[in-house]
Amino acid sequence: MTDPWQECMDFAVAIAKKAGQVIREAMKRDISVMVKSSPADLVTETDQKVEAMIISSIKEKFPSHSFIGEESVAAGEGCNHTDNPTWIIDPIDGTTNFVHRFPFVAVSIGFTVNKEVEFGIVYSCVEDKMYTARKGKGAFCNGERLTVSRQQDISKALIVTELGSYRSPEILSTILSNMEKLLRIPVHGVRAVGSAAVDMCITATGGAEAYYEMGIHCWDVIAAAIIVTEAGGVVMDVTGGPFDLMSRRVIAANSKVIGERIAKELQIIPFERDDGNQ
């Protein structure tokens, strides 16, 4: 039986490559920066241009499909996730990195049908690493199969997270205290690369044992989540419960053991859900 979504996946890889080329070219020029929800929440013309290019190309080929895009939502469109085939897009995951030319910048494209993720593409375009995963068929980077780390001892784990763009004293204090709790276990270390999608893909490669964050959005994690699970890892809520795409929080880990151990340390930061539900 032919895979009904393979054509969509092949198209996503091609469009992500094209978007990556646009981003790499833009990094050689002056970048005009605007701010969104906080002075550290940045957006550029390239984010908007790349998203428009991705969505218009997909719409032309698959006119009946739905879209959730970071910049479209920022411009006032809803974040309405239905059973219809849906493309969830982050044109530049790691915009602050892009602005500073810090080399971890990714195009993230996730695709869902009946709200189930069918495939995910994360193109780390400065490194030229194309991470891909198709449901039930494994995860790959530039064609090589990925497998998560086998480390089950939290004290030998390397953890990835992000400090985020929130600058309120309460949120910052919780972010830093969560990090401190993990360091006190102790873990081998905590890293922050500046892109949730790349952080999760590094976990999928076995380069880190886990990634966690609160305050991220569905478009940051959707594609990388299937890359982690198809590499043999797990995604869960920061409470240790089931992962909820719209909840704005996630732990991606090599195993349930490591994920749940991290969940035990984390104080929850309440963020409004992406879908606006309570």
Side-chain angles (χ1 to χ4, degrees):
M1 197 180 96
T2 58
D3 180 344
W5 309 119
Q6 190 60 47
E7 187 189 5
C8 295
M9 185 170 173
D10 295 342
F11 192 71
V13 169
I15 201 81
K17 270 190 184 152
K18 195 172 160 189
Q21 205 175 339
V22 171
I23 293 164
R24 283 194 303 267
E25 284 304 311
M27 286 174 95
K28 295 173 188 169
R29 300 191 296 272
D30 282 349
I31 298 169
S32 87
V33 184
M34 297 156 277
V35 298
K36 292 201 282 191
S37 65
S38 85
D41 185 13
L42 310 181
V43 64
T44 71
E45 283 168 8
T46 309
D47 293 77
Q48 295 160 338
K49 179 179 158 187
V50 168
E51 183 171 310
M53 179 194 88
I54 293 172
I55 291 176
S56 64
S57 305
I58 297 168
K59 261 186 183 160
E60 204 176 303
K61 199 161 170 63
F62 306 105
S64 66
H65 291 186
S66 302
F67 300 87
I68 296 171
E70 175 173 15
E71 303 316 326
S72 315
V73 172
E77 285 186 31
C79 193
N80 186 21
H81 195 207
T82 67
D83 288 343
N84 199 43
T86 302
W87 301 73
I88 302 180
I89 298 155
D90 190 344
I92 301 183
D93 189 47
T95 300
T96 303
N97 286 356
F98 169 69
V99 166
H100 289 270
R101 298 172 177 82
F102 190 77
F104 299 99
V105 175
V107 180
S108 173
I109 302 173
F111 180 77
T112 67
V113 180
N114 298 320
K115 299 192 187 75
E116 292 283 315
V117 188
E118 290 292 335
F119 66 76
I121 309 290
V122 173
Y123 182 41
S124 183
C125 56
V126 180
E127 305 179 275
D128 193 22
K129 287 184 175 176
M130 180 69 74
Y131 295 96
T132 59
R134 173 79 181 91
K135 188 167 78 177
K137 296 197 174 162
F140 298 84
C141 178
N142 292 350
E144 283 189 35
R145 189 178 276 274
L146 301 178
T147 312
V148 293
S149 150
R150 292 203 178 93
Q151 182 56 255
Q152 297 297 301
D153 182 346
I154 191 75
S155 69
K156 292 180 181 152
L158 185 64
I159 313 292
V160 208
T161 189
E162 294 298 333
L163 294 155
S165 58
Y166 303 94
R167 294 296 179 263
S168 81
E170 305 77 32
I171 292 178
L172 272 178
S173 165
T174 310
I175 288 170
L176 294 170
S177 104
N178 281 340
M179 230 184 248
E180 186 182 347
K181 284 179 197 160
L182 292 170
L183 287 165
R184 281 173 181 271
I185 288 174
V187 295
H188 268 180
V190 175
R191 300 286 180 267
V193 172
S195 156
V198 174
D199 290 338
M200 289 172 79
C201 289
I202 289 170
T203 304
T205 68
E209 274 63 46
Y211 156 82
Y212 74 90
E213 193 174 354
M214 288 169 263
I216 37 87
H217 292 277
C218 58
W219 48 79
D220 296 311
V221 297
I222 175 105
I226 191 171
I227 293 166
V228 170
T229 56
E230 287 294 326
V234 296
V235 289
M236 59 175 72
D237 186 63
V238 292
T239 57
F243 172 59
D244 173 351
L245 178 63
M246 293 291 159
S247 70
R248 300 191 54 200
R249 49 199 219 189
V250 67
I251 294 173
N254 65 339
S255 67
K256 214 163 175 250
V257 171
I258 293 285
E260 287 174 350
R261 182 66 187 85
I262 290 167
K264 228 167 103 175
E265 299 296 330
L266 298 178
Q267 184 187 333
I268 309 294
I269 304 169
F271 285 102
E272 193 182 328
R273 294 172 57 86
D274 275 333
D275 55 11
N277 296 341
Q278 291 310 306

